[in-house]
Amino acid sequence: MLYNLFKRTFSVFLILIAVLIPAQNNAGVILEIRNESRADKGNIIDLIVVVKNTGNDLFSGKVEITTPSGFRNISPGKTEVHMKPGENLYLPVKILVNNNVVAGESHIACKLIDGQNFVIAKQEIPYVVSENNMMRITPENPVVYMNNVNDSVEVKARVSNLGNKRQNVTLVFKIPEVSQGSIFIEKSGNIEVQKDSVFVFRFFPSKVLMRSPQFTVQIAGFREPDKEIFGNTSVSVQNISSTQRYEDRETDIFSNFSKNSITASYRRVGENLDMYQMIGSGGFNLPSGYLYIRGNIYAMNNHSDPVVNNTYISYHRENNEFTLGNMSKLLELSLFGRGAEYAFTSSDKDKKIEVGFVDQSFSLIERNSF
């Protein structure tokens, strides 16, 4: 009985010692946090931690700063303090706010710890991060080349979330015309804070686009759920397999008339100068090969002889070609005039041999030869 009473009394005594000793050592120590941040430093928080020893005893301990995710303490995280009675201590603290901090309210905590590692004081200061929903859209490849009409066209757009909240977005791809009959295609997705996402769109061009050498795909980005547009861009599709135009090998800068036609004209080119002209061309098949004829003849009333230029007759048979009349050859030395030519072309159209002569006379019936 006496043993149990002594045991209970001793336990109460130990509890009183454990309670009274910290209270006596830490009595009168006050912790405060002052926010000295300025508006022109939006990503830096300036704090002043104030420790006041209003008691009659020496105090030794440390100040510890803890920050939430996305905040970085530039100052030391733990600072040793030794204070005399009545002494005040002011500790500057700088905290950097990263761009990936989620919007909303966060708390920065400051603890005062004594020499026995007991937390004797704790203060928190709230910090509100404003919402930033900045987005950016850019094409992965501003120019896309289409070299096979049987392949689909692939267009890529990169969307970057530069803000501090998760974004739900919709990209709308607009093409001039598609075989499915719709010109708007939507792609949706969500993008985390400070992350990128690539949206890929593939389509088969219509027959109209296949004949076009170039067309543009427009891309617009919308922020959900209000369909607020945040940017737009475009991708140029260069169709190197499209239908091309080539100059007729029987046409040159000296003629602008149609085949299988003859045109006669009269012009008054001066007060006493009249001009008569006949121009034409045509061809027809023979039992073996075909024949092609072209002519240009004009005369003026002050010239005794007409001028016959750009006039010749050409016979084609298999890989052989014989030409007689006006010749026009752009070689190392340009040759223009009347003459004759034989040309042989290989079956694979890869090699060609030409033999002939040109006397450099402008008109086919020029009396004074070169």
Side-chain angles (χ1 to χ4, degrees), residues 19-32:
V19 172
L20 291 176
I21 288 178
Q24 290 176 351
N25 290 340
N26 303 320
V29 181
I30 301 174
L31 177 66
E32 296 179 3

Side-chain angles (χ1 to χ4, degrees), residues 338-354:
R338 58 190 176 187
E341 177 195 19
Y342 166 72
F344 174 79
T345 305
S346 62
S347 300
D348 57 2
K349 308 297 182 181
D350 186 53
K351 300 178 180 63
K352 185 176 182 180
I353 299 176
E354 296 176 290

Side-chain angles (χ1 to χ4, degrees), residues 6-235:
F6 174 78
K7 185 177 179 180
R8 287 196 299 270
T9 303
F10 183 74
S11 299
V12 172
F13 177 73
L14 291 177
I15 293 173
L16 288 175
I17 292 177
V19 172
L20 291 176
I21 288 178
Q24 290 176 351
N25 290 340
N26 303 320
V29 181
I30 301 174
L31 177 66
E32 296 179 3
I33 302 179
R34 299 176 184 175
N35 192 347
E36 303 289 339
S37 301
R38 297 189 311 182
D40 59 341
K41 295 182 178 180
N43 62 335
I44 296 180
I45 305 173
D46 289 315
L47 302 178
I48 300 295
V49 177
V50 182
V51 182
K52 297 180 180 180
N53 187 1
T54 60
N56 299 320
D57 299 323
L58 294 172
F59 174 77
S60 296
K62 57 186 175 182
V63 175
E64 181 177 335
I65 305 294
T66 58
T67 57
S69 176
F71 294 77
R72 185 165 63 90
N73 187 6
I74 303 176
S75 307
K78 295 180 181 180
T79 304
E80 300 286 340
V81 295
H82 303 279
M83 304 178 62
K84 298 178 182 180
E87 185 178 5
N88 297 334
L89 184 63
Y90 299 87
L91 301 175
V93 177
K94 288 186 178 293
I95 297 175
L96 179 65
V97 183
N98 296 329
N99 293 330
N100 59 352
V101 174
V102 179
E105 184 176 285
S106 301
H107 291 83
I108 302 170
C110 180
K111 299 177 183 179
L112 183 61
I113 303 174
D114 64 8
Q116 287 77 35
N117 287 327
F118 287 106
V119 178
I120 62 173
K122 182 179 179 180
Q123 291 287 333
E124 289 186 353
I125 183 171
Y127 183 82
V128 178
V129 179
S130 302
E131 182 178 302
N132 180 8
N133 61 358
M134 185 178 296
M135 306 283 290
R136 181 176 61 199
I137 178 172
T138 55
E140 282 286 88
N141 299 301
V143 180
V144 176
Y145 295 97
M146 184 174 66
N147 55 15
N148 190 341
V149 295
N150 296 320
D151 291 343
S152 62
V153 177
E154 183 179 83
V155 177
K156 297 181 180 180
R158 178 179 295 272
V159 180
S160 303
N161 185 357
L162 306 178
N164 54 15
K165 62 176 293 186
R166 182 179 179 179
Q167 300 278 346
N168 295 323
V169 300
T170 297
L171 262 62
V172 178
F173 296 80
K174 177 184 176 182
I175 59 179
E177 181 183 356
V178 293
S179 57
Q180 292 84 357
S182 173
I183 62 173
F184 295 98
I185 303 296
E186 293 186 359
K187 293 282 185 177
S188 300
N190 54 75
I191 308 175
E192 298 295 335
V193 176
Q194 298 296 312
K195 299 293 184 180
D196 295 350
S197 183
V198 177
F199 292 77
V200 182
F201 170 57
R202 299 179 181 89
F203 68 97
F204 282 99
S206 65
K207 293 182 179 180
V208 175
L209 290 183
M210 288 180 183
R211 293 193 296 267
S212 175
Q214 184 269 339
F215 59 92
T216 302
V217 177
Q218 302 288 343
I219 308 171
F222 295 87
R223 185 181 291 109
E224 298 293 351
D226 300 326
K227 292 293 184 180
E228 176 189 359
I229 186 170
F230 64 82
N232 62 83
T233 186
S234 63
V235 174

Side-chain angles (χ1 to χ4, degrees), residues 296-349:
N296 177 36
I297 304 173
Y298 67 90
M300 295 184 180
N301 55 1
N302 60 349
H303 290 95
S304 58
D305 296 328
V307 176
V308 181
N309 65 351
N310 200 28
T311 300
Y312 64 84
I313 181 171
S314 179
Y315 172 66
H316 300 257
R317 183 178 182 274
E318 296 179 350
N319 298 333
N320 301 284
E321 179 182 348
F322 302 88
T323 304
L324 180 64
N326 288 115
M327 311 298 298
S328 174
K329 295 295 177 183
L330 298 176
L331 304 174
E332 288 80 0
L333 175 64
S334 298
L335 301 176
F336 299 93
R338 58 190 176 187
E341 177 195 19
Y342 166 72
F344 174 79
T345 305
S346 62
S347 300
D348 57 2
K349 308 297 182 181

Side-chain angles (χ1 to χ4, degrees), residues 235-350:
V235 174
S236 175
V237 180
Q238 302 291 331
N239 184 6
I240 60 178
S241 65
S242 64
T243 302
Q244 304 294 331
R245 293 183 179 180
Y246 299 92
E247 183 179 357
D248 189 346
R249 63 189 303 268
E250 300 295 344
T251 303
D252 56 32
I253 59 176
F254 299 103
S255 62
N256 56 0
F257 50 87
S258 301
K259 292 181 179 180
N260 298 321
S261 67
I262 298 177
T263 303
S265 64
Y266 163 78
R267 290 191 294 269
R268 181 103 176 160
V269 296
E271 183 177 356
N272 298 313
L273 186 61
D274 299 323
M275 179 177 178
Y276 307 87
Q277 184 179 22
M278 180 174 292
I279 188 171
S281 68
F284 51 89
N285 293 324
L286 299 175
S288 178
Y290 69 94
L291 197 67
Y292 181 79
I293 303 173
R294 183 166 67 180
N296 177 36
I297 304 173
Y298 67 90
M300 295 184 180
N301 55 1
N302 60 349
H303 290 95
S304 58
D305 296 328
V307 176
V308 181
N309 65 351
N310 200 28
T311 300
Y312 64 84
I313 181 171
S314 179
Y315 172 66
H316 300 257
R317 183 178 182 274
E318 296 179 350
N319 298 333
N320 301 284
E321 179 182 348
F322 302 88
T323 304
L324 180 64
N326 288 115
M327 311 298 298
S328 174
K329 295 295 177 183
L330 298 176
L331 304 174
E332 288 80 0
L333 175 64
S334 298
L335 301 176
F336 299 93
R338 58 190 176 187
E341 177 195 19
Y342 166 72
F344 174 79
T345 305
S346 62
S347 300
D348 57 2
K349 308 297 182 181
D350 186 53

